[in-house]
Amino acid sequence: MKMNAVDWTAFVLVIIGGLNWGLIGFFNWDLVSAIFGMMTGLSRTVYGLVGIAALWTIYSAAKMKQ
């Protein structure tokens, strides 16, 4: 299966989210909040996009299994 632009965008966002959670877990440091501010509209948008990307990745993985 070839990845389209949405798949690649979701892939990158999921990686960013995973790295951010790793930083929070190991160093108690939130990269998204450090860049965009603590729960600003922009940081909430980034968190939302990462969540949507995770759902898209789940959907894509389920589709590949068929």
Side-chain angles (χ1 to χ4, degrees):
M1 178 178 137
K2 282 192 143 190
M3 291 177 59
N4 60 30
V6 175
D7 294 328
W8 277 107
T9 303
F11 181 69
V12 169
L13 286 170
V14 168
I15 289 172
I16 290 169
L19 291 172
N20 192 54
W21 275 110
L23 289 170
I24 291 169
F26 289 117
F27 304 109
N28 196 28
W29 187 64
D30 187 345
L31 178 63
V32 174
S33 290
I35 294 172
F36 300 114
M38 182 71 77
M39 282 301 151
T40 62
L42 194 51
S43 65
R44 290 176 62 88
T45 301
V46 170
Y47 290 128
L49 289 173
V50 169
I52 291 169
L55 292 173
W56 181 262
T57 303
I58 292 168
Y59 167 75
S60 295
K63 194 168 67 171
M64 283 191 297
K65 189 174 181 179
Q66 295 176 354

